[in-house]
Amino acid sequence: MTPAVTALDGLKLPYELLEYELSGSSDKDIGLAAARALGLPEAAVFKTLIAELADGALVVAVIPVAEKLNLKQLARACGVKSAKMADTRAAERATGYLTGGISPLGQKRSHRTLLADQANGLDLIYVSAGRRGLELALTPGALIEATAASVCTLTG
């Protein structure tokens, strides 16, 4: 299984593993394709993005798949001047996952994690299980516990 699933098992946190067929999706819309394939509302399916802060640190931003990360909001939440999207290779090296299947859980190195406030009020959220075609369903609380995530405004 993937490191994300192993991490949740190790923490004894409840989750459901969902598998789906990925057909004809580009790297940019895998999250939307997952929502469609699983018949889930886009607002409950979250994508995992890796950003680089002005000080060079990498951070994990978990936001709804239909939303765009606001880098100014991210920088503000992290207390730095600016942020940019991390280089694809740097993100893959730091997380141990391939782009399009990066999970906020079970990453190769621990990174500061921020969860979009849209997760508030949702019973379940869906995030990558660490491989294209595999999603995890878990409560926002379980994700926060597993990643020590801060909940903040990251979009808009």
Side-chain angles (χ1 to χ4, degrees):
M1 206 33 60
T2 69
V5 172
T6 302
L8 286 172
D9 286 342
L11 293 169
K12 299 194 182 334
L13 292 171
Y15 67 90
E16 183 181 353
L17 191 60
L18 306 169
E19 200 164 354
Y20 63 94
E21 274 299 311
L22 191 62
S23 58
S25 297
S26 72
D27 285 351
K28 298 213 181 270
D29 65 2
I30 289 174
L32 291 170
R36 282 190 296 273
L38 293 167
L40 299 170
E42 291 175 2
V45 181
F46 284 60
K47 59 187 170 185
T48 305
L49 303 172
I50 309 299
E52 182 181 339
L53 303 178
D55 62 7
L58 295 181
V59 296
V60 177
V62 185
I63 66 170
V65 295
E67 299 283 336
K68 185 173 170 112
L69 178 62
N70 183 319
L71 292 167
K72 289 183 185 215
Q73 293 279 24
L74 176 70
R76 189 174 303 123
C78 292
V80 298
K81 187 177 177 178
S82 64
K84 64 181 183 179
M85 293 306 298
D87 173 72
T88 300
R89 278 182 259 146
E92 290 178 348
R93 263 194 318 275
T95 64
Y97 294 115
L98 296 176
T99 303
I102 293 178
S103 177
L105 302 152
Q107 295 185 0
K108 197 166 152 182
R109 289 186 220 123
S110 182
H111 298 93
R112 181 176 180 183
T113 302
L114 296 103
L115 175 62
D117 55 9
Q118 289 97 324
N120 288 335
L122 293 175
D123 292 331
L124 289 175
I125 61 173
Y126 301 83
V127 297
S128 175
R131 190 179 71 209
R132 292 178 184 194
L134 214 52
E135 287 284 305
L136 289 166
L138 68 166
T139 65
L143 181 63
I144 291 166
E145 183 178 339
T147 62
S150 302
V151 178
C152 55
T153 301
L154 295 174
T155 62

